Amino acid sequence: MVAETDRNLVRTDDSKMKIKLMAMVLLTVVCLTGSQSMQTASAQNLKQFTLEDLNFGGINYHNMVPKNRWTTWWNDNLVHLDVDKCSIVDKSTNKEKTLFTVEQFNKWAANTQGNRLLTLADASFPYADKPIVMVEYANIRQLLNFKTHKIVWTQTTKGFSHSDWNATTKATAYVNPDDYQLHVIDAKGNNHQLSADASRDILYGQSVHRDEFGYTKGTFWSPNGTLLAFTRMDQSMVTDYPLVDIPDPSKKPESGTRMAKPAPVKYPMAGEAMHKVTIGVYNLLTDKTIYLKAGDPTDRYFTNVAWSPDSKTVYLFELNRDQNDCRLVSYNAETGDRLAELYHETDVKYVEPQHPIQFLPWDNNKFILQSQRDGYNHLYLFSKGGQQLKQLTKGHWVVESVVGFNSDNHSIIILSNECNPIQRNIFSVNVDTGRRTRIDENGEGWHTAQLSGSGKFAVDSYSAPDIPRNITIVNTENAKCTRYFTAENPWRGYTVPQYKCGTIKAADGQTDLYYRMVMPVNFDPSKKYPAIVYVYGGPHAHNVDARWHWGSRSWETYMAQNGYLLFILDNRGSENRGRDFEQVTFRHLGDVEMKDQMQGVAFLKSLPYVDADKLGIHGWSFGGFMTINLMTTYPDVFKVGVAGGPVIDWKWYEIMYGERYMDRPQDNPEGYASTSLIAKAKNLKGRLQIIIGLNDPVVLPQHAFSFLKQCIHDGTQPDFFVYPGEPHNMRGHQSTHLHERISRYFFDYLK
């Protein structure tokens, strides 16, 4: 592992950072799971994994993942959530005291046998100064005072989709799934219908721009809970793609259900007509709605809705269709009038706003803004009027997330990869001084943080290559950590491979790329093994990090158990390495990525225990695109491949993602032509299996079908398998079936 980072202050001195990175380049770390005696024991004394153990859809998977403890905060009180009870955790001693049980809740709520709360695992405590718990069950949302044992409020939630509850006013925004209309129901149960023209073509209160630019929902309550900003998306001009629902033969057919039914989805392909989004604001007190006067929404994106602390102003990032001109604009929430442009950022390639601005809790006249304009995503402090006051973080590393604030010591709690590109650590950033302090337990691994009400405490759940899961309680002010939970290794007693991590140089000869390698079980360096490259390679994702087993997917363990070596490389274009690392693929998706992956192949071939004549490759989505691209660009290298949900031609992909990285087809015809796999179908030599979900609304079936049609024309012979009714990824136990199919393909053809 990397040497522990200075607990007091991590500086951004370039020479020190270079020394740390050089140390990582020189150090190849091997993580051996289990005790030494386990690894040297004969295989007959250890259990073997099955896909039912290792795949998330498997019947025994729940026993094979590290145990966890689910927690939430009630102000600064840490609450352990369990199926049968909620308990207060003493942050110094870890001793727990039961607050109430599920049986007590049902008794106090006078629930009948057929209308009972079954678990408290999803309970929350929305009021810092009140002993009130909120639960949702049996189509109701309830608040119960666990001191007086009384239900204080109940709301019926039957028929709610996209539900968004506000704790201050107890009002709920929701969409009626039957007619798409947006409603707000107030605390007294009065229902207010906000829309009248909703349909499949016009959607209200839902995530827009196909979940890009940080969108996960379409409703945004003001701090005082009386105003609701919401999205309205007109997609009537967007073409329907004709997906089809096929009846499930395992279920008893109902009258008239024998025929497959059309299930079209609105899909804006790159270069074609784009939906139009506007932002409305509903006033719960006046029962009136206004729309922000942002101008013509044609070929524009409105993203990252934020509110001023006084609930009077709405903030938006506004982006042109080319996604290279971004502006932060403020609007009057009462009138919808445009107030001011506070920030403007441009880039020759693209700007990608992902995070709304956040006001300082202790100073309503200042906010923080995230941008990678200096090459890495960092925090900037602005005045309410739009003046940049200072850059709060700086260095050749990425702020991955803002967890929250500690008002008492004027600090921001963040997650970043400052310690190492494949780690994620918790830092406290003092806004006044700029001082950064790492506050997690050991400075290694991959951390998450859940902040208390005041921000003085955090729950840190983390893993490291040799640590399945540890949970600590962190004092964010003095970095004192108290271990709360240590998960045992759930794979103890099984035959487990070795997991390795290291670096190689990218195709540019300069950039370090991180890889993971999973060795065949009972590895013998004198033998030669078939190797499988698992690849993703696209933006907003990575595969190698410093969590348990170096982030290895369980399927890799299954294949290692069956005698294969697995190799995974994060090429340029993947996430969390800075703007230039990601944007090097601009307008030519796949080109640089393949060059880097072939550096990985060269490294594999240099290993005396890798059989260079038996190389396979597998990936899904962008990884499916990479799999076919590599097999048809380097047809003599890969003997076998499995491509899941593959993009075949970027002109058939959606506007928001596709045009960001490729521009429009009419503006970049050479780039689209050179990255299309249609022209490469004739090059296929190895055994290739393509797998898709028939109802995939992300990478449309047209991609795979078109490639198959071209292969027929060219006389090449891929194999094909489809999962009827499934979307982009297989759900439930079908995922186990999928991975058995993938495995069998390699068993059959890569021996």
Side-chain angles (χ1 to χ4, degrees), residues 475-494:
N475 184 313
T476 64
E477 296 182 340
N478 60 22
K480 179 182 178 181
C481 298
T482 303
R483 179 70 63 81
Y484 172 53
F485 177 72
T486 302
E488 294 185 357
N489 182 356
W491 290 10
R492 191 175 301 278
Y494 283 81

Side-chain angles (χ1 to χ4, degrees), residues 465-714:
D466 56 352
I467 298 174
R469 177 178 285 115
N470 288 341
I471 302 177
T472 62
I473 303 169
V474 180
N475 184 313
T476 64
E477 296 182 340
N478 60 22
K480 179 182 178 181
C481 298
T482 303
R483 179 70 63 81
Y484 172 53
F485 177 72
T486 302
E488 294 185 357
N489 182 356
W491 290 10
R492 191 175 301 278
Y494 283 81
T495 303
V496 179
Q498 299 176 14
Y499 304 88
K500 297 184 178 183
C501 179
T503 62
I504 63 171
K505 291 297 182 183
D508 64 2
Q510 299 178 347
T511 307
D512 291 324
L513 304 178
Y514 289 86
Y515 71 81
R516 173 176 70 248
M517 191 155 57
V518 185
M519 309 303 289
V521 166
N522 301 318
F523 172 67
D524 182 347
S526 67
K527 295 182 178 179
K528 283 188 175 292
Y529 295 92
I532 301 172
V533 175
Y534 175 76
V535 61
Y536 182 77
H540 288 297
H542 70 283
N543 281 313
V544 185
D545 54 49
R547 71 179 90 193
W548 196 37
H549 298 159
W550 299 104
S552 180
R553 301 166 66 249
S554 295
W555 178 77
E556 298 163 18
T557 295
Y558 181 72
M559 297 304 288
Q561 181 180 270
N562 283 278
Y564 295 84
L565 183 148
L566 281 297
F567 182 79
I568 299 90
L569 179 73
D570 283 332
N571 51 249
R572 286 174 294 166
S574 55
E575 68 177 353
N576 295 339
R577 295 290 302 276
R579 180 190 61 203
D580 295 343
F581 186 93
E582 179 185 283
Q583 291 190 352
V584 70
T585 66
F586 183 62
R587 298 188 108 216
H588 290 276
L589 285 177
D591 291 355
V592 169
E593 299 95 317
M594 282 198 298
K595 292 176 183 177
D596 285 353
Q597 288 294 329
M598 291 307 294
Q599 291 296 109
V601 169
F603 169 70
L604 278 178
K605 288 182 174 182
S606 74
L607 301 175
Y609 45 81
V610 171
D611 189 338
D613 294 326
K614 295 180 180 179
L615 295 184
I617 186 167
H618 167 48
W620 201 273
S621 196
F622 198 103
F625 162 71
M626 288 289 290
T627 295
I628 299 177
N629 210 359
L630 284 160
M631 287 195 71
T632 54
T633 304
Y634 305 95
D636 295 318
V637 173
F638 298 98
K639 183 178 180 181
V640 181
V642 179
V647 173
I648 297 298
D649 193 310
W650 290 103
K651 69 175 176 286
W652 299 325
Y653 201 66
E654 50 98 343
I655 287 173
M656 295 78 206
Y657 183 106
E659 293 184 3
R660 179 186 313 132
Y661 303 119
M662 290 289 291
D663 279 339
R664 297 186 308 167
Q666 50 267 51
D667 299 325
N668 182 23
E670 298 85 359
Y672 275 86
S674 67
T675 58
S676 173
L677 305 187
I678 294 296
K680 297 182 178 183
K682 63 181 181 295
N683 300 334
L684 181 64
K685 286 186 178 181
R687 296 299 302 242
L688 170 65
Q689 178 173 229
I690 300 172
I691 306 175
I692 68 168
L694 184 61
N695 295 69
D696 189 341
V698 179
V699 181
L700 300 172
Q702 177 173 335
H703 288 267
F705 295 157
S706 297
F707 186 78
L708 293 175
K709 190 168 185 177
Q710 188 64 39
C711 286
I712 295 168
H713 180 270
D714 292 334

Side-chain angles (χ1 to χ4, degrees), residues 136-173:
E136 296 184 47
Y137 65 104
N139 292 321
I140 60 172
R141 179 180 287 125
Q142 277 187 332
L143 298 177
L144 179 140
N145 187 310
F146 50 86
K147 295 293 186 183
T148 64
H149 307 168
K150 302 291 185 183
I151 296 291
V152 297
W153 182 78
T154 298
Q155 181 184 73
T156 300
T157 58
K158 186 176 181 180
F160 286 14
S161 70
H162 303 85
S163 178
D164 188 0
W165 181 74
N166 181 267
T168 303
T169 57
K170 300 186 184 68
T172 301

Side-chain angles (χ1 to χ4, degrees), residues 16 90 156 210 227 234 308 376 392 414 471 616 704 709 735:
K16 291 187 177 182
D90 187 304
T156 300
R210 294 189 66 84
L227 298 171
D234 181 354
S308 62
Y376 297 85
L392 290 172
I414 66 170
I471 302 177
K709 190 168 185 177
S735 176

Side-chain angles (χ1 to χ4, degrees), residues 7 20-21 24 66 107-108 167 254 259 293 297 307 346 401 420 422 494 497 553 561 656 661-662 675 684 710:
R7 179 172 285 278
K20 289 180 182 179
L21 290 174
M24 275 301 296
K107 178 181 177 181
W108 299 335
E254 299 176 3
M259 183 73 73
K293 299 173 184 177
W307 282 95
T346 61
S401 176
N420 188 278
I422 61 172
Y494 283 81
R553 301 166 66 249
Q561 181 180 270
M656 295 78 206
Y661 303 119
M662 290 289 291
T675 58
L684 181 64
Q710 188 64 39

